[in-house]
Amino acid sequence: MATTKTKPESEELFDGSDYDDPRLALPYVDEKPVAKISIRFSATIDLDRMNPQHVELFRRFTLGHKIVLQDVAGIVLNKPARQVRDKEGYVSDVAQTAVFSVESIGGIGAPAAPEPAAAGDGEGEGEGEGGDE
């Protein structure tokens, strides 16, 4: 008979040292550890009404049914952090969300991004929008 390892009742259900595992490490935000993480998806994929594969995909979207999508491609738009405050107004936790804009599903949707220009083409070097991090 297999046994399940649990913490003794005298210990709290969660201990901050649970995050000590390097696989769970996240950067701190305003000197506080991130306690909650999530991903928010945003997308509108235009389908071709005359393409049988697109119509079949659309038919799968029935209210209340679970759907598994493969080969989802897109771009990360933002990664905001927000402070979660307790009743007294003190920051109790930090939550962070990655905002992912879906561009294609299973090859349906936006075409692949163009290849970046070759280095040293002389155009726009030293200039740019900046602030991408």
Side-chain angles (χ1 to χ4, degrees), residues 62-108:
T62 305
L63 289 177
H65 290 220
K66 291 184 180 182
I67 295 176
V68 176
L69 299 173
Q70 296 180 354
D71 299 324
V72 176
I75 186 169
V76 177
L77 297 178
N78 199 353
K79 202 168 178 184
R82 67 179 175 81
Q83 298 174 341
V84 180
R85 298 185 179 271
D86 61 16
K87 289 188 270 185
E88 287 80 33
Y90 294 103
V91 176
S92 61
D93 283 322
V94 175
Q96 192 166 30
T97 302
V99 180
F100 182 77
S101 177
V102 177
E103 294 179 340
S104 70
I105 300 170
I108 298 172

Side-chain angles (χ1 to χ4, degrees), residues 6 11-12 16-17 34 44 51-52 60 65 69-70 82 100-101 104-105 107 109-110 123 130-131:
T6 60
E11 290 187 36
E12 293 183 32
S17 66
V34 175
T44 298
N51 183 319
R60 290 174 42 204
H65 290 220
L69 299 173
Q70 296 180 354
R82 67 179 175 81
F100 182 77
S101 177
S104 70
I105 300 170
E123 291 188 323

